[in-house]
């Protein structure tokens, strides 16, 4: 493998507090040197990064790759291409596939497919309960050994408090973080949007805020008892943010993530019955969006995670009530976060931290930094690049995004994984 010499970019590595023009040398899958005016190693490929931002490869804690079982929506190859085009060097794969990733065989299949694709890194997440049925715990030791980095029943909540207590105790013995999709089904009752003035106006059944926050409160009480590592997927409400902030203040091992769409849209987006705005948890109210933005800036929220959830028109071109929930996110995540920087809601360093070192820390993943010795995962970003996502240019097989046609400024130009270029957008026309 040729060494890479990334020259004269603005190197922004929040983990090492670096923000200045530097060269980065990558060799044998590692970052070997960082410095001004470094000599190129013999035979190295030179990448001119002048005028660009050089950051650690982005890490996504939450994605649905749909393989095995729903390859018509996405597969590991198309998901990898989409993630790489969005600047992600690593993605975590939620277990709600068919079959569910609740066994060694499924975990190994995912890892084998990811190896064959040789794109972004794929970290499987195993199920908490067998078949995501919320009844019996999965064999977590086996999942961990096969390569799962955490457990989650994402898409479904572990609704039983007693089962959640046992899941936390069990996962703790294997050092596996437990990721909760916080939604009390006896409160959400299949509501297809947020319960608010907007749901009344739309005439749609809503999910109240408390469907999320009561589970977060309950789980934090269980974390206090068990000491297990607990992570809240896609927090969407002000009350959840308050609960996590308070738990962190008390020193509990609690973390959380937010999606770009929950940081950007309110439930008023659902008033036109556009099923591309339907997601779970649902888009919330302006006060929630405001609280999420503040919590992302102050570090209460550790990471931005996409919840990349591909669906085709077969699942989306239906009445709002009947349409599937989910938004594809890999290719719009960085532009949406950069939009928050442009509107001064986040500093650039905070934005990059929540997409790199933040998520790496949450699950103890390698990468998330450009320090010498770290994996050679690097993303090169053009902050000035005009970018308008369109169905025909998205790499994902599925096009279910409410952000198609929106004009953004800034996108990933080059994604490098283990020293290999897996996405190169330099020759693409700006759009
Ligand atoms: O919007 C969502 N889509 N939320 C989930 O929790 C699951 C996901 C999916 O798998 O489609
Ligand atoms: Zn979820």
């Amino acid at each position: 493998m040729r060494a890479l010499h990334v020259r004269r970019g603005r190197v922004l590595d929040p983990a090492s507090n670096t923000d200045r023009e530097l060269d980065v040398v990558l060799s044998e899958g590692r970052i070997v040197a960082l410095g001004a005016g470094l000599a190129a190693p013999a035979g190295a490929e030179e990448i001119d990064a002048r005028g660009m931002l050089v950051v650690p490869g982005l890490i996504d804690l939450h994605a649905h790759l749909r393989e095995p079982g729903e390859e018509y929506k996405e597969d590991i190859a198309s998901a990898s291409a989409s993630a790489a085009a969005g600047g992600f060097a690593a993605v975590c794969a939620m277990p709600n596939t068919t079959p569910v990733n609740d066994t060694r065989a499924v975990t190994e299949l995912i890892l084998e497919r990811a190896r064959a694709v040789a794109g972004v890194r794929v970290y499987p997440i195993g199920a908490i309960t067998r078949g995501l049925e919320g009844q019996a715990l999965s064999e977590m030791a086996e999942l961990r050994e096969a390569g799962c980095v955490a457990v989650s029943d994402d898409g479904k909540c572990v609704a039983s408090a007693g089962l959640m207590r046992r899941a936390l105790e069990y996962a703790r013995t294997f050092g596996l973080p437990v990721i909760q999709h916080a939604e009390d089904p006896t409160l959400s009752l299949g509501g297809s949007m947020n319960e608010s003035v907007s749901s009344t106006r739309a005439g749609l059944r809503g999910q109240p805020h408390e469907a999320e926050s009561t589970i977060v409160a309950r789980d934090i009480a269980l974390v206090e008892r068990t000491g297990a590592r607990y992570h809240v997927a896609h927090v969407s409400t002000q009350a959840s943010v308050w609960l996590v902030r308070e738990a962190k203040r008390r020193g509990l091992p609690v973390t959380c993530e937010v999606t770009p769409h929950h940081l950007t849209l309110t439930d008023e987006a659902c008033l036109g019955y556009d099923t591309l705005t339907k997601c779970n948890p649902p888009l919330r109210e302006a006060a929630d969006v405001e609280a999420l933005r503040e919590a992302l800036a102050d570090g209460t929220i550790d990471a931005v995670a996409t919840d990349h959830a591909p669906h085709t028109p077969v699942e989306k071109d239906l009445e709002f009530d009947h349409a599937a929930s989910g938004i594809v996110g890999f290719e719009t995540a960085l532009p949406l976060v950069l939009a928050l920087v442009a509107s001064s809601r986040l500093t650039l360093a905070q934005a990059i931290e929540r997409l790199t070192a933040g998520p790496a820390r949450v699950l103890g993943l390698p990468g998330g930094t450009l320090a010498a010795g770290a994996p050679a995962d690097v993303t090169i970003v053009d902050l000035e690049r005009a970018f308008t996502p369109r169905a025909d240019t998205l790499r994902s097989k599925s096009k279910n995004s409410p952000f198609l046609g929106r004009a953004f400024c800034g996108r990933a130009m080059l994604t490098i994984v283990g020293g290999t270029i897996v996405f190169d957008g330099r020759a693409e026309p700006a759009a």
Side-chain angles (χ1 to χ4, degrees):
M1 190 202 299
R2 275 179 84 184
L4 293 178
H5 185 208
V6 181
R7 290 195 58 233
R8 299 190 56 187
R10 174 181 170 192
V11 173
L12 177 55
D13 181 29
S16 64
N17 241 316
T18 305
D19 183 2
R20 59 199 173 95
E21 189 187 299
L22 292 171
D23 292 0
V24 186
V25 176
L26 316 177
S27 177
E28 309 284 331
R30 299 265 148 200
I31 292 169
V32 293
L34 208 73
L38 292 179
E45 176 180 346
E46 181 176 309
I47 296 169
D48 181 0
R50 277 175 299 177
M52 309 256 205
L53 191 66
V54 178
V55 301
L58 310 186
I59 299 174
D60 188 1
L61 291 176
H62 190 143
H64 300 276
L65 310 188
R66 305 300 191 214
E67 184 176 356
E70 288 185 313
E71 290 84 353
Y72 71 101
K73 296 182 180 184
E74 193 81 289
D75 58 30
I76 289 170
S78 63
S80 175
S82 176
F88 289 96
V91 303
C92 297
M94 282 298 177
N96 65 338
T97 47
T98 313
V100 166
N101 184 10
D102 57 3
T103 58
R104 167 192 298 280
V106 178
T107 303
E108 284 176 349
L109 172 92
I110 292 165
L111 287 171
E112 207 174 283
R113 287 291 304 136
R115 254 193 308 277
V117 165
V120 304
R121 299 179 198 272
V122 175
Y123 295 110
I125 293 173
I128 297 173
T129 68
R130 286 185 210 167
L132 307 180
E133 281 169 1
Q135 302 291 329
L137 293 180
S138 66
E139 206 32 83
M140 293 184 195
E142 174 187 312
L143 291 170
R144 157 113 247 185
E145 218 178 83
C148 286
V149 295
V151 286
S152 179
D153 273 5
D154 182 61
K156 291 186 178 170
C157 183
V158 179
S160 155
L163 187 65
M164 187 61 177
R165 175 195 172 166
R166 290 204 301 282
L168 290 165
E169 286 169 346
Y170 199 44
R172 187 180 170 206
T173 61
F174 307 115
L176 278 170
V178 176
I179 304 175
Q180 175 72 293
H181 171 118
E183 175 191 342
D184 185 327
T186 68
L187 284 171
S188 63
L189 289 173
S192 57
M193 66 175 290
N194 180 49
E195 182 179 316
S196 66
V197 176
S198 295
S199 61
T200 305
R201 279 177 62 196
L204 292 168
R205 188 201 297 250
Q207 299 188 21
H209 293 160
E210 299 76 24
E212 179 174 294
S213 53
T214 56
I215 294 292
V216 174
R218 178 202 81 179
D219 287 352
I220 288 170
L222 296 171
V223 168
E224 195 153 14
R225 169 167 293 277
T226 59
R229 265 290 289 116
Y230 174 72
H231 178 77
V232 191
H234 42 53
V235 288
S236 68
T237 76
Q238 184 172 41
S240 300
V241 160
W242 287 335
L243 289 160
V244 171
R245 188 176 285 128
E246 176 62 13
K248 285 186 163 188
R249 202 188 56 73
R250 287 192 287 144
L252 295 174
V254 172
T255 54
C256 69
E257 67 188 33
V258 66
T259 74
H261 44 277
H262 289 104
L263 286 167
T264 307
L265 299 174
T266 67
D267 57 4
E268 292 183 3
C270 305
L271 285 171
Y273 305 98
D274 178 357
T275 60
L276 295 178
T277 66
K278 183 173 175 181
C279 55
N280 208 17
L283 300 171
R284 304 287 189 182
E285 287 154 86
D288 299 300
V289 173
E290 183 59 32
L292 294 171
R293 291 172 170 192
E294 274 171 23
L296 187 61
D298 76 17
T300 300
I301 298 177
D302 301 84
V304 173
T306 65
D307 197 4
H308 179 81
H311 292 294
T312 71
V314 175
E315 295 84 26
K316 280 292 193 181
D317 288 352
L318 299 169
E319 296 86 343
F320 204 89
D321 281 341
H322 294 118
S325 296
I327 291 174
V328 287
F330 289 144
E331 295 168 72
T332 50
L334 178 63
L336 283 164
V337 172
L338 291 175
L340 294 175
V341 175
S343 59
S344 304
R345 301 312 309 252
L346 282 179
T347 67
L348 186 58
Q350 286 167 339
I352 298 304
E353 204 275 343
R354 308 299 185 259
L355 286 161
T356 58
R361 194 176 346 100
V362 167
L363 293 185
L365 302 174
T369 176
L370 296 175
D377 294 3
V378 180
T379 298
I380 300 179
V381 178
D382 184 347
L383 292 172
E384 308 294 326
R385 183 79 162 198
F387 172 60
T388 305
R390 290 196 317 268
D392 60 328
T393 53
L394 284 188
R395 262 69 172 184
S396 174
K397 279 190 198 180
S398 292
K399 316 296 178 186
N400 52 303
S401 168
F403 301 111
L404 298 182
R406 187 183 280 223
F408 291 100
C409 188
R411 65 159 301 171
M413 298 306 294
L414 212 62
T415 306
I416 300 167
V417 176
T420 299
I421 296 173
V422 297
F423 169 72
D424 186 349
R426 287 174 296 181
E428 284 178 23

